[in-house]
Amino acid sequence: MHEANSNQLEKFRAAVAAIDGGEIDRLRSLLDGDPLLVAMRCRVGAGYEAGYFAGATLLHHVAGNPDRGPLAAEVVEIAQLLLDRGSAAWAAQATLELVLTSRRASEAGVAPALIDRLIAGGARLDLADPDLLSKPLLNLAPDTAEELVQRGARVDVRHAAALGRIDTLTDLLSPELGHEVLAEALAYACIREQHSSVALLLGCGAEGDRLVRPGGQPPRTPLHEAAWRGHAGVVGRLLAHGADPGVRDGRWGGTAADWAEHGGHPDLARRLRLAS
């Protein structure tokens, strides 16, 4: 791998434009002209200097994460080209993680093919990871989660709730599950707006105002999650079951009404404030 100078940076940006535009012949020509381009890591420009996309290679861009617009129809072929030209196994692994949490890849239906290409390129997919399904389910990529289930990924009470798999959820529920586990499963159901899962969990004693940490995030309640996403029906159900809208999250100190406001749902925010 190597860092980019100004001339290489120009080539890198041209290659990114070719990826975004599905111009595989143009990309191939750029790689022919500079074979080291495939290993280049960009650290210049918005998104490339800090955060999870800092130092990205060209391969990272096929995931559509961060979202830069619709993925090109040729994205799987482009990924294969970059792998064939020498994209490293570590880059394939990093790109796989991006694909797992990519809304664009999920909605475009290309996540399965990208996963296969990246595994062939050296990435590893751990189907036994208890939090594998949390990655797509907490990032608007439910179709990717369903694909992982078909491949044998572990499904626990949180994932069953988020996927709306009521039979599986019913089988997984037991008196031994603690309040924390039930509330976190409820948060997953709220995130995915799974009304049947929400109703079942509330009936089993899940609390809509208990602070939980879905995906290891700072503490918030299931009510916060539903409010931020504007899931008014879920919010109403939680309130009807006694959820306290005055509970504040563990990072910003905001109520569910504050989260609804921040999420662009002013009517729901007013409703929650009136319920306080």
Side-chain angles (χ1 to χ4, degrees), residues 12-197:
F12 185 91
R13 288 173 174 163
V16 170
I19 292 171
D20 290 344
E23 301 176 80
I24 193 164
D25 289 338
R26 172 61 175 157
L27 179 61
R28 186 178 290 110
S29 176
L30 288 164
L31 295 172
D32 287 342
D34 185 353
L36 294 179
L37 193 60
V38 74
M40 189 177 300
R41 302 191 66 179
C42 184
R43 298 187 186 278
V44 179
Y48 294 103
E49 298 173 2
Y52 67 90
F53 209 61
T57 70
L58 291 177
L59 185 62
H60 288 68
H61 293 75
V62 304
N65 180 13
D67 189 349
R68 301 185 327 281
L71 289 171
E74 301 83 1
V75 69
V76 175
E77 188 179 358
I78 287 170
Q80 188 63 61
L81 172 62
L82 293 169
L83 289 164
D84 290 344
R85 292 302 182 92
S87 287
W90 76 265
Q93 184 66 52
T95 304
L96 175 61
E97 295 298 323
L98 294 176
V99 169
L100 293 177
T101 57
S102 170
R103 176 178 67 87
R104 289 290 187 182
S106 181
E107 292 179 350
V110 298
L114 286 173
I115 289 171
D116 288 340
R117 298 300 194 282
L118 294 165
I119 290 174
R124 180 174 177 269
L125 181 67
D126 184 5
L127 293 173
D129 178 358
D131 283 313
L132 178 62
L133 291 177
S134 295
K135 296 174 182 180
L137 288 172
L138 296 179
N139 288 279
L140 302 177
D143 289 347
T144 301
E146 291 285 5
E147 171 66 21
L148 295 174
V149 172
Q150 294 302 313
R151 295 183 183 218
R154 292 177 54 182
V155 179
D156 65 21
V157 65
R158 302 168 301 166
H159 309 135
L163 290 167
R165 294 186 170 221
I166 299 304
D167 289 345
T168 303
L169 180 57
T170 301
D171 290 341
L172 291 171
L173 289 171
S174 72
E176 288 74 33
L177 293 178
H179 293 294
E180 188 84 12
V181 174
L182 287 174
E184 187 172 359
L186 180 59
Y188 273 64
C190 290
I191 289 167
R192 293 291 310 133
E193 199 176 11
Q194 296 287 358
H195 291 274
S196 295
S197 296

